[in-house]
Amino acid sequence: FADVELLYGRNDLEVVLYGPQGQIRRESSTVPVGIDATEPGKTYYWAGMIEQGRDLIDFRNDFIDPLTGWRWGVGLEHGLDKRTSMGLGAQSVVIDEIRHDYAEARLRRAIGPALVEFAASHDFGRGTALSAETLGQIGELNFQAQTLWVEGDFESDIIDRFVRSEHSVRLDTRVRVGGMRLPLQAGLRLEERKDGTKIREWVLRSS
């Protein structure tokens, strides 16, 4: 389940499988997300290149996908101490047949039961995006908050070109109802677009 989001701290996951004759099998696992993702004094690096939306061997010249084109990226992350790490990176992608070149920086710090991250990305010749995010756990309450500010005509395959700012907060917990524990999630998202439009979203989920 690649799309299951993990939060700082202990993540308890349970998969319930049902058989054709009413059999039930439960598989439980725990995924800890700790403060020592990058050890102090250690440096991790990565590099990659791909021609997205194309076959490996292709003699055609037709344009298929607006994200088609060679994209590459390099980056490194260094552990400053047991609670702090910083990262630098560069990427180049094609969006709507226009190439965008980015320089990125990130600072991550564990503060008490929370993980805080500050990030900046500059799209050369277009603009800059600044973001801050925190996530953590207090008792059985998981929380996540994020803020994003966009300056100029910054655009990426993650950030829409029309967004000026976006702020969100989300709370997750489990409530005991009778003999079961009911997952409960509440969230708020505020978005301001470059044409002045403001969007407010409230979310309440359970299952």
Side-chain angles (χ1 to χ4, degrees), residues 189-201:
R189 187 178 75 91
L190 305 175
E191 178 183 312
E192 181 179 358
R193 303 180 77 81
K194 293 178 181 177
D195 62 0
T197 302
K198 295 183 178 180
I199 301 172
R200 296 175 179 87
E201 293 181 354

Side-chain angles (χ1 to χ4, degrees), residues 14-94:
E14 183 179 45
V15 178
V16 182
L17 305 174
Y18 297 92
Q21 280 82 41
Q23 306 97 321
I24 298 178
R25 188 176 75 190
R26 299 176 182 270
E27 297 179 355
S28 300
S29 61
T30 299
V31 181
V33 178
I35 61 176
D36 55 347
T38 302
E39 295 91 338
K42 293 286 186 70
T43 300
Y44 296 91
Y45 59 88
W46 63 272
M49 177 181 291
I50 185 174
E51 188 177 16
Q52 181 171 320
R54 291 284 190 180
D55 293 331
L56 180 62
I57 300 176
D58 190 354
F59 299 102
R60 298 172 298 170
N61 293 320
D62 55 322
F63 196 83
I64 302 173
D65 188 329
L67 296 178
T68 296
W70 283 102
R71 60 187 300 161
W72 59 264
V74 296
L76 62 86
E77 184 166 351
H78 180 73
L80 301 178
D81 56 38
K82 289 184 177 181
R83 290 177 171 264
T84 311
S85 65
M86 66 173 297
L88 298 173
Q91 295 195 52
S92 180
V93 303
V94 175

Side-chain angles (χ1 to χ4, degrees), residues 140-160:
E140 293 194 3
L141 179 66
N142 294 317
F143 61 88
Q144 180 177 14
Q146 184 177 23
T147 183
L148 169 70
W149 298 91
V150 178
E151 181 272 331
D153 295 324
F154 182 93
E155 178 186 8
S156 73
D157 51 359
I158 299 176
I159 300 176
D160 191 292

